[in-house]
Amino acid sequence: EIGALQQEFIHTRLQQISGAIEKHVQIVVHIISEITGCIGIAVTPSSDSLYLESIRLIPASAGRVLFVLELGGGQLESVIAEADEEIQIGQLSMIEGILRERLCGLSLADILVSIDARLKDSMADNLAIRSLLFQKADDMISRYSQGELFVHGMSRIIKTPEFSDQQNIETLANLLDDTDRLRELIATDTDDGVTVKIGDEHENSDLLLFATFSRSFECAAGKGSLGILGPKRVAYAKLTPILDYLTEELSDTIEYG
């Protein structure tokens, strides 16, 4: 089991974070590296599960309106719309109400396919909002389509005996440059605890040196993954409960923190 001091360290670090899920995940990969001496890897939820939580319209300069979009994972996006004439505060409030009623709670993919029908013949057409939000949703899906990848800890792992060999360092560097491979390493189809692969249990011969640990985490934005990449001689009995505890704390912190 993970020790009480490590539990307190992890819990305290995560409780100090507020804001978007990316901030939490970035801290988690640093924590993994600090307490294991290995590389922490994480992928945030993909856009397939991202949804529009809230929308605000803020008047900017004459004829310009700032749209602030909050996604289910806490991500904030903004875009400016320009109108042919100045929009009154009362009108903005009514348009904002229409957008919240008809779009909030929908996934980005659902917004793409239904926004025309949902906003047609409403006040939301005043700022060409249908086109504006369609383009923004399409852009966000492109950027979040695979989830954001976070990696930390190369400076720690290269201090281990395995990486006193230059060829092994090059193998590690090439692996860390391959973002698709890193995503695959910690991808997991099961919710049943930590998945561990050691040496030749990996499908690729380049990974013979390594052990990988992966587990999914869940939050309002959907499902992401956490992982540990280390030399294959690592203490599996210690790393598995660490990753278990981290994923549970991360999910709880994002949901309730």
Side-chain angles (χ1 to χ4, degrees), residues 98-169:
I98 292 171
L99 295 176
R100 287 186 174 185
E101 178 184 349
R102 302 187 185 187
L103 299 181
C104 288
L106 297 177
S107 70
L108 297 182
D110 285 341
I111 289 174
L112 276 184
V113 299
S114 67
I115 191 169
D116 280 351
R118 291 178 183 275
L119 300 185
K120 187 177 181 180
D121 299 326
S122 73
M123 286 185 67
D125 276 343
N126 287 355
L127 299 175
I129 289 173
R130 281 189 288 164
S131 175
L132 181 82
L133 293 182
F134 181 94
Q135 292 174 7
K136 188 64 177 177
D138 189 48
D139 169 65
M140 288 189 288
I141 285 177
S142 297
R143 286 188 287 112
Y144 293 122
S145 60
Q146 292 184 295
E148 191 168 355
L149 175 70
F150 292 87
V151 182
H152 183 75
M154 182 173 181
S155 62
R156 295 179 185 274
I157 196 174
I158 60 174
K159 296 176 183 178
T160 60
E162 287 83 353
F163 297 100
S164 59
D165 182 284
Q166 183 64 34
Q167 185 174 351
N168 290 349
I169 293 178

Side-chain angles (χ1 to χ4, degrees), residues 16 54 67 69 90 108 115 120 135 143 148 164 192 197 213 244 252-253:
Q16 293 171 346
S54 179
F67 286 66
L69 313 175
L108 297 182
I115 191 169
K120 187 177 181 180
Q135 292 174 7
R143 286 188 287 112
E148 191 168 355
S164 59
D192 187 22
K197 292 185 178 181
F213 303 75
D244 262 331
D252 289 346
T253 303

Side-chain angles (χ1 to χ4, degrees), residues 222-233:
K223 183 179 291 187
S225 301
L226 289 183
I228 301 173
L229 174 68
K232 65 180 181 180
R233 59 164 182 80

Side-chain angles (χ1 to χ4, degrees), residues 43 179-188 197 203 214:
V43 177
T179 58
D180 289 337
R181 176 83 69 82
L182 292 176
R183 291 175 190 277
E184 292 172 3
L185 276 180
I186 65 167
T188 176
K197 292 185 178 181
E203 295 179 0
S214 59

Side-chain angles (χ1 to χ4, degrees), residues 26 33 42 55 62 64 69-70 81-82 85 92 105 143 153 161 164 168-169 185-186 207 211 239 241 245:
Q26 187 173 30
S33 176
I55 186 166
R64 306 180 80 208
L69 313 175
E70 181 180 355
E82 298 194 23
E85 57 186 37
L92 278 185
R143 286 188 287 112
S164 59
N168 290 349
I169 293 178
L185 276 180
I186 65 167
L207 298 172
L239 296 195
Y245 187 77

Side-chain angles (χ1 to χ4, degrees), residues 169-241:
I169 293 178
E170 290 179 7
T171 299
L172 175 63
N174 289 335
L175 175 59
L176 296 181
D177 281 341
D178 191 340
T179 58
D180 289 337
R181 176 83 69 82
L182 292 176
R183 291 175 190 277
E184 292 172 3
L185 276 180
I186 65 167
T188 176
D189 296 327
T190 177
D191 297 325
D192 187 22
V194 176
T195 298
V196 181
K197 292 185 178 181
I198 304 165
D200 58 9
E201 293 177 358
H202 297 101
E203 295 179 0
N204 196 300
S205 60
D206 290 346
L207 298 172
L208 291 176
L209 289 170
F210 302 101
T212 56
F213 303 75
S214 59
R215 185 177 170 182
S216 63
F217 68 89
E218 292 194 53
C219 61
K223 183 179 291 187
S225 301
L226 289 183
I228 301 173
L229 174 68
K232 65 180 181 180
R233 59 164 182 80
V234 294
Y236 314 109
K238 292 183 179 180
L239 296 195
T240 298

